[in-house]
Amino acid sequence: MKSKLTAIFSCFTGSITIITRSACILFLLSTLSLSVFSQSRTELLFTDGWKFFKGKNDASFAKDFDDKNWKSVKVPHDWAIEGPFDKEIDKQMVAIVQNGESKPSEKTGRTGALPYIGEAWYRKTFQLPGSIKNKRVILQFDGAMSEPKVFLNGVKVGEWNYGYNYFFIDVTDQLKAGENNVLAVHLSNRPKSSRWYPGAGLYRNVRLIIKAEQSIAQWGVSITTPVVSSTFAKVNIKTKISAPGATLVTTILDQNGKQVALDSAKTMFGNEADQNIKIQNPRLWSPETPELYTAVSRLYLGTTLLDQVTTRFGIREISYQAGKGFSLNGKVRKFKGVCLHHDLGPLGTAINIAALRRQLMILKDMGCDAIRSSHNMPSLEQLELCDELGFMFLAETFDEWAKPKVENGYHLFFDTDAEKDIVNLVKATKNHPCIVMWSAGNEVPDQFGAEGVKRAKWLQEIFHREDPTRPVTVGMDQVKATMASGFGALLDIPGLNYRVHLYDEAFKAFPQGMLLGSETASTVSSRGIYKFPVVKAAAKTYPDFQTSSYDLEYCDWSNVPDDDFVLQDDKPWVIGEFVWTGFDYLGEPTPYDESWPSRSSYFGINDLAGLPKDRFYLYRSRWNTAKPTLHLLPHWNWAGREGQVTPVFVYTNYDSAELFLNGKSLGIQKKSKATPQNRYRLMWMDVKYEPGTLKVVAYDSTGKAVAEETKVTAGEPYRIVLDADRKSIAADGEDISFVTASVVDKDGNPCPTATERLNFEVKGAGKFKAVCNGDATSLEMFDKPTMKLFSGKLVVLVQSTDKQGNMVLKVSGKGLKGGEIELTSK
Ligand code: GAL
């Protein structure tokens, strides 16, 4: 063995070509370690075999207890998403001070009206895969909602208050090898603990990691790229090790798995190895080129492989400079970002990679390049996807510091937990190239007062200590207060939530020389719903509890997208925006916080089912510079509005377009700077409705017609049409195909106002998982195989089982020709 290891080094130092060297090393490393690799470290996902109980709490559940009558569940699991929706759940008599309210009023649906409150237990019995002599065993929770208390074989081994954070526990001493071990987790969700649907349960992964006693510390590898150029990069790797006398050998592989560097740490600094590794001609990570490298850290004692950790990273350079703004790899750019809450609509908060990926693919098509995990730690899976698909990430921590927004919010834990919560966020996620900024908080009431300034400084310093490479922001809504107190001035990056009218003043007052639109727009709309007359208005409500998709309605504290666009386009010192929000989420049904049944948001650019609202195309027309956008609104099914003014908007990246109604020109509109709306939208305000065909023809700068788009008045709903985002999915019991169901008339025209009830059935190697129509007022449950269409559409989620083969989704509806789609599970 020893001679082989020596051979590796001499191979590396020899003067042969890189390809030959890499091949040589790969070959030798694999022959060296095949027998020991599998023993060096094992990571098991604790997915199956969980028992779940929600109800009266009993301390004996932690111990020897017969749980056979408990419900069998798979983790990740959200215990509340099956509902039912109930107005009484978490009903709050409050004044939402942050929204400018001074008198308490009854708020229903604020946290989604789903049964997330209460105590519950999860239990899992497991055996270790082998002996744990001279090993350490770690149990990692990627998040548990909330206040998890963890018991192993009846002994409490750990707890963590914040439901959004990752934490791990060394459980070696409580484990029994060769026998059953019982893991029991108690969770408790207090009422009035959130401003949105927080979910409930073991909603993220639970991992068991078995490694050698002498090994690399959990989250112990820290990779940065302090020097980046097109010809070479310096990769710095710090590795925390508990193995005196051991040697750390690090290899770096490129995207294709080809080894591009190898280094052996010669010196230990206490328990840390510090390596600087040169990569020639690096392929830089960016949203457009999400190139990733992998560092394989192998720890040897003599020739024995003690441990092996694989870390994916990217080579990229970020810089934030006054007068220049934000640059990635030397190029100035502005964040085209969205804020996201963590729920996945009909799946609740239970992590699902297919659902996360679908969200990102939709955002990618919109031209979005950045995500803010409002207002808490993102899932590890979301960060991995952002690395792979190319999204920059603003990773946030808290919605509250020491001062409350809600009665049982994070303020209960702030003093004792804030530091360790930040430490775990940074330690667990720091190697993700996608993360380009941290956020220490969102609109914390601590923006007022001297204590708040101290807290801001304290938190920012914790971030700096843990990660000197990324700046820190806070989303501020009390801009005047933060200008006066010094709160805004001390942050690395001042983030403004809304307050477009204060950008200039804040830029002058703050010393950083730049501002981030950490939260923008909060425009509200319901997919496919249009209200008349078409006027720009704050806090507008209607008897049907919907909002208008003309994209002119917003909140008392917010604005329409165009107002942000003006700042982004005209102020070089604004470094980008994060729109509230990319997708609708459960809870916070503003402007219907007091109206039942409203249980999910209207803020999304896409609805809760992930279907694009009109606003999607407004952002796409700006952000997706690679593809043309030409989108016409409203729909053209307005029986009863004949002869009435029905304005027509076009969202496009073409400069001008001509509108035709039943072949008659209604004139050419050109973008102009008259108003923000005229600058970013083409609008025909005086169109009088008549049924038929509405057509827009776009012209290029020479006046040549280059694209067109039509809306046709549809007849009666006739046939169901199905369209899957992916027809082939993995046979892993997790993967999901998202099938959009819509109805068309006899001639195939989409019926945009259809509300027919549809029924779903899946046969073969898959199962019906959930359905969602994006209607914020619907009380139909997501897991029942029937739902009404909303504005002519809904989305059915078909999930694989662990069987390979074909499956068929059948969709039927009374009086409608049914639809069928075949999917494959491989
Ligand atoms: C912001 C807040 C968000 C959300 C949004 C709605 O003030 O940070 O969490 O509440 O308003 O407009």
Side-chain angles (χ1 to χ4, degrees), residues 3-21:
S3 60
K4 279 181 184 167
L5 192 61
T6 318
I8 293 170
F9 295 129
S10 54
C11 180
F12 185 58
T13 46
S15 58
I16 39 181
T17 65
I18 292 203
I19 295 169
T20 323
R21 280 196 315 217

mmCIF file with all atom_site columns, all heavy atoms in Angstrom, residues 3-21:
data_model
loop_
_atom_site.group_PDB
_atom_site.id
_atom_site.type_symbol
_atom_site.label_atom_id
_atom_site.label_alt_id
_atom_site.label_comp_id
_atom_site.label_asym_id
_atom_site.label_entity_id
_atom_site.label_seq_id
_atom_site.pdbx_PDB_ins_code
_atom_site.Cartn_x
_atom_site.Cartn_y
_atom_site.Cartn_z
_atom_site.occupancy
_atom_site.B_iso_or_equiv
_atom_site.pdbx_formal_charge
_atom_site.auth_seq_id
_atom_site.auth_comp_id
_atom_site.auth_asym_id
_atom_site.auth_atom_id
_atom_site.pdbx_PDB_model_num
ATOM 1   N N   . SER A 1 3  ? 3.810  1.770  -0.953  1.00 0.00 ? 3  SER A N   1
ATOM 2   C CA  . SER A 1 3  ? 4.501  2.079  -2.193  1.00 0.00 ? 3  SER A CA  1
ATOM 3   C C   . SER A 1 3  ? 3.544  2.707  -3.194  1.00 0.00 ? 3  SER A C   1
ATOM 4   O O   . SER A 1 3  ? 3.916  3.573  -3.962  1.00 0.00 ? 3  SER A O   1
ATOM 5   C CB  . SER A 1 3  ? 5.139  0.822  -2.758  1.00 0.00 ? 3  SER A CB  1
ATOM 6   O OG  . SER A 1 3  ? 4.103  -0.107 -2.993  1.00 0.00 ? 3  SER A OG  1
ATOM 7   N N   . LYS A 1 4  ? 2.277  2.295  -3.149  1.00 0.00 ? 4  LYS A N   1
ATOM 8   C CA  . LYS A 1 4  ? 1.314  2.888  -4.084  1.00 0.00 ? 4  LYS A CA  1
ATOM 9   C C   . LYS A 1 4  ? 1.104  4.364  -3.788  1.00 0.00 ? 4  LYS A C   1
ATOM 10  O O   . LYS A 1 4  ? 1.027  5.198  -4.669  1.00 0.00 ? 4  LYS A O   1
ATOM 11  C CB  . LYS A 1 4  ? -0.018 2.150  -4.008  1.00 0.00 ? 4  LYS A CB  1
ATOM 12  C CG  . LYS A 1 4  ? 0.002  0.875  -4.819  1.00 0.00 ? 4  LYS A CG  1
ATOM 13  C CD  . LYS A 1 4  ? -1.319 0.183  -4.745  1.00 0.00 ? 4  LYS A CD  1
ATOM 14  C CE  . LYS A 1 4  ? -1.259 -1.145 -5.486  1.00 0.00 ? 4  LYS A CE  1
ATOM 15  N NZ  . LYS A 1 4  ? -2.403 -1.977 -5.176  1.00 0.00 ? 4  LYS A NZ  1
ATOM 16  N N   . LEU A 1 5  ? 1.006  4.688  -2.492  1.00 0.00 ? 5  LEU A N   1
ATOM 17  C CA  . LEU A 1 5  ? 0.802  6.090  -2.115  1.00 0.00 ? 5  LEU A CA  1
ATOM 18  C C   . LEU A 1 5  ? 1.999  6.930  -2.555  1.00 0.00 ? 5  LEU A C   1
ATOM 19  O O   . LEU A 1 5  ? 1.850  8.004  -3.118  1.00 0.00 ? 5  LEU A O   1
ATOM 20  C CB  . LEU A 1 5  ? 0.600  6.191  -0.602  1.00 0.00 ? 5  LEU A CB  1
ATOM 21  C CG  . LEU A 1 5  ? 0.095  7.527  -0.094  1.00 0.00 ? 5  LEU A CG  1
ATOM 22  C CD1 . LEU A 1 5  ? -1.267 7.818  -0.701  1.00 0.00 ? 5  LEU A CD1 1
ATOM 23  C CD2 . LEU A 1 5  ? -0.035 7.515  1.413   1.00 0.00 ? 5  LEU A CD2 1
ATOM 24  N N   . THR A 1 6  ? 3.179  6.377  -2.337  1.00 0.00 ? 6  THR A N   1
ATOM 25  C CA  . THR A 1 6  ? 4.376  7.095  -2.766  1.00 0.00 ? 6  THR A CA  1
ATOM 26  C C   . THR A 1 6  ? 4.324  7.283  -4.277  1.00 0.00 ? 6  THR A C   1
ATOM 27  O O   . THR A 1 6  ? 4.637  8.335  -4.806  1.00 0.00 ? 6  THR A O   1
ATOM 28  C CB  . THR A 1 6  ? 5.644  6.287  -2.397  1.00 0.00 ? 6  THR A CB  1
ATOM 29  O OG1 . THR A 1 6  ? 5.454  5.775  -1.099  1.00 0.00 ? 6  THR A OG1 1
ATOM 30  C CG2 . THR A 1 6  ? 6.875  7.153  -2.445  1.00 0.00 ? 6  THR A CG2 1
ATOM 31  N N   . ALA A 1 7  ? 3.875  6.241  -4.925  1.00 0.00 ? 7  ALA A N   1
ATOM 32  C CA  . ALA A 1 7  ? 3.789  6.316  -6.381  1.00 0.00 ? 7  ALA A CA  1
ATOM 33  C C   . ALA A 1 7  ? 2.883  7.457  -6.822  1.00 0.00 ? 7  ALA A C   1
ATOM 34  O O   . ALA A 1 7  ? 3.162  8.128  -7.804  1.00 0.00 ? 7  ALA A O   1
ATOM 35  C CB  . ALA A 1 7  ? 3.275  5.002  -6.935  1.00 0.00 ? 7  ALA A CB  1
ATOM 36  N N   . ILE A 1 8  ? 1.856  7.689  -6.063  1.00 0.00 ? 8  ILE A N   1
ATOM 37  C CA  . ILE A 1 8  ? 0.948  8.784  -6.419  1.00 0.00 ? 8  ILE A CA  1
ATOM 38  C C   . ILE A 1 8  ? 1.708  10.098 -6.442  1.00 0.00 ? 8  ILE A C   1
ATOM 39  O O   . ILE A 1 8  ? 1.634  10.868 -7.374  1.00 0.00 ? 8  ILE A O   1
ATOM 40  C CB  . ILE A 1 8  ? -0.203 8.902  -5.399  1.00 0.00 ? 8  ILE A CB  1
ATOM 41  C CG1 . ILE A 1 8  ? -1.094 7.681  -5.494  1.00 0.00 ? 8  ILE A CG1 1
ATOM 42  C CG2 . ILE A 1 8  ? -1.014 10.158 -5.643  1.00 0.00 ? 8  ILE A CG2 1
ATOM 43  C CD1 . ILE A 1 8  ? -2.095 7.593  -4.390  1.00 0.00 ? 8  ILE A CD1 1
ATOM 44  N N   . PHE A 1 9  ? 2.489  10.310 -5.390  1.00 0.00 ? 9  PHE A N   1
ATOM 45  C CA  . PHE A 1 9  ? 3.183  11.599 -5.310  1.00 0.00 ? 9  PHE A CA  1
ATOM 46  C C   . PHE A 1 9  ? 4.231  11.741 -6.397  1.00 0.00 ? 9  PHE A C   1
ATOM 47  O O   . PHE A 1 9  ? 4.342  12.760 -7.031  1.00 0.00 ? 9  PHE A O   1
ATOM 48  C CB  . PHE A 1 9  ? 3.807  11.780 -3.922  1.00 0.00 ? 9  PHE A CB  1
ATOM 49  C CG  . PHE A 1 9  ? 2.759  11.863 -2.859  1.00 0.00 ? 9  PHE A CG  1
ATOM 50  C CD1 . PHE A 1 9  ? 2.842  11.059 -1.740  1.00 0.00 ? 9  PHE A CD1 1
ATOM 51  C CD2 . PHE A 1 9  ? 1.667  12.705 -2.999  1.00 0.00 ? 9  PHE A CD2 1
ATOM 52  C CE1 . PHE A 1 9  ? 1.850  11.111 -0.767  1.00 0.00 ? 9  PHE A CE1 1
ATOM 53  C CE2 . PHE A 1 9  ? 0.687  12.754 -2.035  1.00 0.00 ? 9  PHE A CE2 1
ATOM 54  C CZ  . PHE A 1 9  ? 0.773  11.954 -0.918  1.00 0.00 ? 9  PHE A CZ  1
ATOM 55  N N   . SER A 1 10 ? 4.943  10.644 -6.634  1.00 0.00 ? 10 SER A N   1
ATOM 56  C CA  . SER A 1 10 ? 5.968  10.795 -7.667  1.00 0.00 ? 10 SER A CA  1
ATOM 57  C C   . SER A 1 10 ? 5.298  10.968 -9.015  1.00 0.00 ? 10 SER A C   1
ATOM 58  O O   . SER A 1 10 ? 5.771  11.695 -9.872  1.00 0.00 ? 10 SER A O   1
ATOM 59  C CB  . SER A 1 10 ? 6.923  9.613  -7.662  1.00 0.00 ? 10 SER A CB  1
ATOM 60  O OG  . SER A 1 10 ? 6.167  8.436  -7.776  1.00 0.00 ? 10 SER A OG  1
ATOM 61  N N   . CYS A 1 11 ? 4.201  10.332 -9.163  1.00 0.00 ? 11 CYS A N   1
ATOM 62  C CA  . CYS A 1 11 ? 3.436  10.500 -10.391 1.00 0.00 ? 11 CYS A CA  1
ATOM 63  C C   . CYS A 1 11 ? 3.065  11.973 -10.567 1.00 0.00 ? 11 CYS A C   1
ATOM 64  O O   . CYS A 1 11 ? 3.193  12.542 -11.632 1.00 0.00 ? 11 CYS A O   1
ATOM 65  C CB  . CYS A 1 11 ? 2.179  9.650  -10.274 1.00 0.00 ? 11 CYS A CB  1
ATOM 66  S SG  . CYS A 1 11 ? 1.103  9.717  -11.664 1.00 0.00 ? 11 CYS A SG  1
ATOM 67  N N   . PHE A 1 12 ? 2.647  12.608 -9.474  1.00 0.00 ? 12 PHE A N   1
ATOM 68  C CA  . PHE A 1 12 ? 2.219  14.006 -9.525  1.00 0.00 ? 12 PHE A CA  1
ATOM 69  C C   . PHE A 1 12 ? 3.377  14.939 -9.848  1.00 0.00 ? 12 PHE A C   1
ATOM 70  O O   . PHE A 1 12 ? 3.240  15.899 -10.587 1.00 0.00 ? 12 PHE A O   1
ATOM 71  C CB  . PHE A 1 12 ? 1.603  14.386 -8.167  1.00 0.00 ? 12 PHE A CB  1
ATOM 72  C CG  . PHE A 1 12 ? 1.030  15.767 -8.144  1.00 0.00 ? 12 PHE A CG  1
ATOM 73  C CD1 . PHE A 1 12 ? 0.035  16.144 -9.031  1.00 0.00 ? 12 PHE A CD1 1
ATOM 74  C CD2 . PHE A 1 12 ? 1.508  16.694 -7.243  1.00 0.00 ? 12 PHE A CD2 1
ATOM 75  C CE1 . PHE A 1 12 ? -0.475 17.418 -8.998  1.00 0.00 ? 12 PHE A CE1 1
ATOM 76  C CE2 . PHE A 1 12 ? 0.981  17.971 -7.215  1.00 0.00 ? 12 PHE A CE2 1
ATOM 77  C CZ  . PHE A 1 12 ? -0.006 18.335 -8.094  1.00 0.00 ? 12 PHE A CZ  1
ATOM 78  N N   . THR A 1 13 ? 4.530  14.641 -9.271  1.00 0.00 ? 13 THR A N   1
ATOM 79  C CA  . THR A 1 13 ? 5.645  15.554 -9.486  1.00 0.00 ? 13 THR A CA  1
ATOM 80  C C   . THR A 1 13 ? 6.369  15.283 -10.806 1.00 0.00 ? 13 THR A C   1
ATOM 81  O O   . THR A 1 13 ? 7.190  16.063 -11.230 1.00 0.00 ? 13 THR A O   1
ATOM 82  C CB  . THR A 1 13 ? 6.666  15.453 -8.335  1.00 0.00 ? 13 THR A CB  1
ATOM 83  O OG1 . THR A 1 13 ? 6.894  14.070 -8.084  1.00 0.00 ? 13 THR A OG1 1
ATOM 84  C CG2 . THR A 1 13 ? 6.172  16.123 -7.084  1.00 0.00 ? 13 THR A CG2 1
ATOM 85  N N   . GLY A 1 14 ? 6.095  14.172 -11.424 1.00 0.00 ? 14 GLY A N   1
ATOM 86  C CA  . GLY A 1 14 ? 6.750  13.856 -12.693 1.00 0.00 ? 14 GLY A CA  1
ATOM 87  C C   . GLY A 1 14 ? 6.366  14.839 -13.777 1.00 0.00 ? 14 GLY A C   1
ATOM 88  O O   . GLY A 1 14 ? 5.382  15.558 -13.668 1.00 0.00 ? 14 GLY A O   1
ATOM 89  N N   . SER A 1 15 ? 7.169  14.871 -14.826 1.00 0.00 ? 15 SER A N   1
ATOM 90  C CA  . SER A 1 15 ? 6.922  15.895 -15.843 1.00 0.00 ? 15 SER A CA  1
ATOM 91  C C   . SER A 1 15 ? 6.130  15.344 -17.022 1.00 0.00 ? 15 SER A C   1
ATOM 92  O O   . SER A 1 15 ? 6.503  15.487 -18.167 1.00 0.00 ? 15 SER A O   1
ATOM 93  C CB  . SER A 1 15 ? 8.265  16.457 -16.320 1.00 0.00 ? 15 SER A CB  1
ATOM 94  O OG  . SER A 1 15 ? 9.022  15.374 -16.811 1.00 0.00 ? 15 SER A OG  1
ATOM 95  N N   . ILE A 1 16 ? 5.070  14.637 -16.705 1.00 0.00 ? 16 ILE A N   1
ATOM 96  C CA  . ILE A 1 16 ? 4.215  14.149 -17.778 1.00 0.00 ? 16 ILE A CA  1
ATOM 97  C C   . ILE A 1 16 ? 3.010  15.078 -17.951 1.00 0.00 ? 16 ILE A C   1
ATOM 98  O O   . ILE A 1 16 ? 2.778  15.939 -17.111 1.00 0.00 ? 16 ILE A O   1
ATOM 99  C CB  . ILE A 1 16 ? 3.738  12.700 -17.481 1.00 0.00 ? 16 ILE A CB  1
ATOM 100 C CG1 . ILE A 1 16 ? 3.419  12.574 -15.993 1.00 0.00 ? 16 ILE A CG1 1
ATOM 101 C CG2 . ILE A 1 16 ? 4.753  11.692 -17.946 1.00 0.00 ? 16 ILE A CG2 1
ATOM 102 C CD1 . ILE A 1 16 ? 2.964  11.212 -15.565 1.00 0.00 ? 16 ILE A CD1 1
ATOM 103 N N   . THR A 1 17 ? 2.268  14.910 -18.988 1.00 0.00 ? 17 THR A N   1
ATOM 104 C CA  . THR A 1 17 ? 1.154  15.837 -19.241 1.00 0.00 ? 17 THR A CA  1
ATOM 105 C C   . THR A 1 17 ? 0.058  15.656 -18.192 1.00 0.00 ? 17 THR A C   1
ATOM 106 O O   . THR A 1 17 ? -0.046 14.603 -17.555 1.00 0.00 ? 17 THR A O   1
ATOM 107 C CB  . THR A 1 17 ? 0.512  15.582 -20.613 1.00 0.00 ? 17 THR A CB  1
ATOM 108 O OG1 . THR A 1 17 ? -0.061 14.288 -20.537 1.00 0.00 ? 17 THR A OG1 1
ATOM 109 C CG2 . THR A 1 17 ? 1.478  15.660 -21.745 1.00 0.00 ? 17 THR A CG2 1
ATOM 110 N N   . ILE A 1 18 ? -0.756 16.679 -18.071 1.00 0.00 ? 18 ILE A N   1
ATOM 111 C CA  . ILE A 1 18 ? -1.817 16.640 -17.052 1.00 0.00 ? 18 ILE A CA  1
ATOM 112 C C   . ILE A 1 18 ? -2.710 15.413 -17.244 1.00 0.00 ? 18 ILE A C   1
ATOM 113 O O   . ILE A 1 18 ? -3.021 14.719 -16.298 1.00 0.00 ? 18 ILE A O   1
ATOM 114 C CB  . ILE A 1 18 ? -2.678 17.914 -17.147 1.00 0.00 ? 18 ILE A CB  1
ATOM 115 C CG1 . ILE A 1 18 ? -1.834 19.072 -16.718 1.00 0.00 ? 18 ILE A CG1 1
ATOM 116 C CG2 . ILE A 1 18 ? -3.943 17.776 -16.298 1.00 0.00 ? 18 ILE A CG2 1
ATOM 117 C CD1 . ILE A 1 18 ? -2.562 20.266 -16.235 1.00 0.00 ? 18 ILE A CD1 1
ATOM 118 N N   . ILE A 1 19 ? -3.063 15.153 -18.481 1.00 0.00 ? 19 ILE A N   1
ATOM 119 C CA  . ILE A 1 19 ? -3.992 14.048 -18.711 1.00 0.00 ? 19 ILE A CA  1
ATOM 120 C C   . ILE A 1 19 ? -3.379 12.737 -18.223 1.00 0.00 ? 19 ILE A C   1
ATOM 121 O O   . ILE A 1 19 ? -4.001 11.990 -17.481 1.00 0.00 ? 19 ILE A O   1
ATOM 122 C CB  . ILE A 1 19 ? -4.349 13.949 -20.213 1.00 0.00 ? 19 ILE A CB  1
ATOM 123 C CG1 . ILE A 1 19 ? -5.113 15.214 -20.588 1.00 0.00 ? 19 ILE A CG1 1
ATOM 124 C CG2 . ILE A 1 19 ? -5.184 12.712 -20.514 1.00 0.00 ? 19 ILE A CG2 1
ATOM 125 C CD1 . ILE A 1 19 ? -5.334 15.423 -22.030 1.00 0.00 ? 19 ILE A CD1 1
ATOM 126 N N   . THR A 1 20 ? -2.136 12.537 -18.580 1.00 0.00 ? 20 THR A N   1
ATOM 127 C CA  . THR A 1 20 ? -1.494 11.286 -18.167 1.00 0.00 ? 20 THR A CA  1
ATOM 128 C C   . THR A 1 20 ? -1.395 11.238 -16.643 1.00 0.00 ? 20 THR A C   1
ATOM 129 O O   . THR A 1 20 ? -1.672 10.228 -16.020 1.00 0.00 ? 20 THR A O   1
ATOM 130 C CB  . THR A 1 20 ? -0.066 11.200 -18.755 1.00 0.00 ? 20 THR A CB  1
ATOM 131 O OG1 . THR A 1 20 ? -0.109 11.756 -20.039 1.00 0.00 ? 20 THR A OG1 1
ATOM 132 C CG2 . THR A 1 20 ? 0.428  9.788  -18.782 1.00 0.00 ? 20 THR A CG2 1
ATOM 133 N N   . ARG A 1 21 ? -1.035 12.372 -16.074 1.00 0.00 ? 21 ARG A N   1
ATOM 134 C CA  . ARG A 1 21 ? -0.884 12.400 -14.613 1.00 0.00 ? 21 ARG A CA  1
ATOM 135 C C   . ARG A 1 21 ? -2.206 12.079 -13.936 1.00 0.00 ? 21 ARG A C   1
ATOM 136 O O   . ARG A 1 21 ? -2.275 11.278 -13.036 1.00 0.00 ? 21 ARG A O   1
ATOM 137 C CB  . ARG A 1 21 ? -0.419 13.792 -14.160 1.00 0.00 ? 21 ARG A CB  1
ATOM 138 C CG  . ARG A 1 21 ? 1.061  13.988 -14.339 1.00 0.00 ? 21 ARG A CG  1
ATOM 139 C CD  . ARG A 1 21 ? 1.542  15.170 -13.560 1.00 0.00 ? 21 ARG A CD  1
ATOM 140 N NE  . ARG A 1 21 ? 0.689  16.329 -13.685 1.00 0.00 ? 21 ARG A NE  1
ATOM 141 C CZ  . ARG A 1 21 ? 1.138  17.561 -13.735 1.00 0.00 ? 21 ARG A CZ  1
ATOM 142 N NH1 . ARG A 1 21 ? 2.420  17.793 -13.704 1.00 0.00 ? 21 ARG A NH1 1
ATOM 143 N NH2 . ARG A 1 21 ? 0.313  18.572 -13.799 1.00 0.00 ? 21 ARG A NH2 1
#
